Amino acid sequence: MLVLAGLGSCYPLVQAAQTAPSSVILVLGDSLSAEYGLQRGSGWVSLMTQRLQREQIHAHVVNASISGETTSGGRARLPALLQQHRPRFVVIELGANDALRGLSLRGTRDNLSAMVASSQAQGAQVVLVGMQMPPNFGKRYADDFARLFEEVAQARRCALVPFFLKGVADRPDARNWFQPDGIHPTEKAHPIMLDNVWGALKPLLLRRQART
């Protein structure tokens, strides 16, 4: 079951779980995870709930993603979310808005590192979702931005998705896979986005399930 938490005006109603599965997966993301411009229930987080059920993995998802969220915003919100939901797994999909706003890469790195560390301190396993910037941002900036996710994942020893939009943004017909704003993927891209996250998350879920 999918629980939507802390989504402000994007999701005015919070659906509470009727049962208490053994594991909570907390997704802390931005508009790419908050179903911006999509029909509700068609984004990758909702699709992940369906996959969990199909593969009989006993976990439920709390989607705490907000459109426009930055790493500093996620860092500020995370302690309350950890206390409220006690997740076994935390998926952090943040950073793109930092780059779009020209925020400090050092600040982005520090915020991501702090979020991973605080999640791990609460006993959660973390999947850090990496992003890349288009070439018009400049090669050096784009390379440094992509590298910071790798650096945080290595330093904190957490799982990493190297590029969230692999198979979407890097395909020859990529323009056809994005909404008119050229930033947010269309509905047909979200199963691919889920596959990218699932490859890092599923081994953690299966190890957890094997111990219970």
Side-chain angles (χ1 to χ4, degrees):
M1 178 173 291
L2 177 66
V3 181
L4 302 175
L7 298 185
S9 60
C10 297
Y11 292 95
L13 297 179
V14 175
Q15 180 182 2
Q18 297 176 350
T19 59
S22 58
S23 298
V24 173
I25 303 169
L26 174 66
V27 179
L28 186 63
D30 51 33
S31 56
L32 298 180
S33 300
E35 295 188 337
Y36 178 90
L38 302 177
Q39 180 179 352
R40 293 296 173 252
S42 63
W44 76 269
V45 181
S46 295
L47 297 178
M48 182 167 64
T49 293
Q50 299 172 23
R51 184 168 294 186
L52 289 166
Q53 295 171 347
R54 189 166 60 249
E55 300 198 14
Q56 298 183 342
I57 296 176
H58 302 297
H60 77 278
V61 182
V62 174
N63 190 354
S65 302
I66 297 177
S67 294
E69 185 69 290
T70 61
T71 58
S72 61
R75 181 178 181 177
R77 290 194 300 122
L78 182 58
L81 291 167
L82 293 173
Q83 182 176 12
Q84 178 182 357
H85 300 289
R86 303 293 180 182
R88 294 291 185 181
F89 308 93
V90 177
V91 179
I92 300 174
E93 182 274 301
L94 291 171
N97 287 316
D98 292 42
L100 291 174
R101 297 180 187 186
L103 302 180
S104 162
L105 292 182
R106 177 178 295 179
T108 298
R109 184 186 297 105
D110 290 346
N111 289 332
L112 290 173
S113 182
M115 283 187 281
V116 174
S118 60
S119 299
Q120 292 172 333
Q122 294 295 321
Q125 294 181 280
V126 179
V127 175
L128 182 62
V129 180
M131 279 295 293
Q132 296 180 14
M133 290 292 105
N136 58 293
F137 278 70
K139 186 178 186 305
R140 179 176 178 180
Y141 183 89
D143 289 346
D144 289 346
F145 180 76
R147 191 179 302 114
L148 73 84
F149 294 93
E150 300 175 7
E151 292 171 349
V152 172
Q154 290 175 2
R156 293 297 177 184
R157 298 185 178 181
C158 70
L160 173 68
V161 178
F163 182 27
F164 188 28
L165 298 182
K166 181 176 176 59
V168 178
D170 55 357
R171 58 190 304 133
D173 60 341
R175 190 63 189 86
N176 297 328
W177 290 71
F178 283 83
Q179 297 176 41
D181 61 12
I183 296 174
H184 298 94
T186 59
E187 182 176 324
K188 68 180 181 179
H190 279 257
I192 298 175
M193 295 158 64
L194 171 58
D195 286 341
N196 292 337
V197 175
W198 191 248
L201 178 61
K202 183 179 179 179
L204 305 182
L205 291 168
L206 293 181
R207 283 200 294 270
R208 170 70 185 174
Q209 187 159 294
R211 293 198 298 266
T212 58

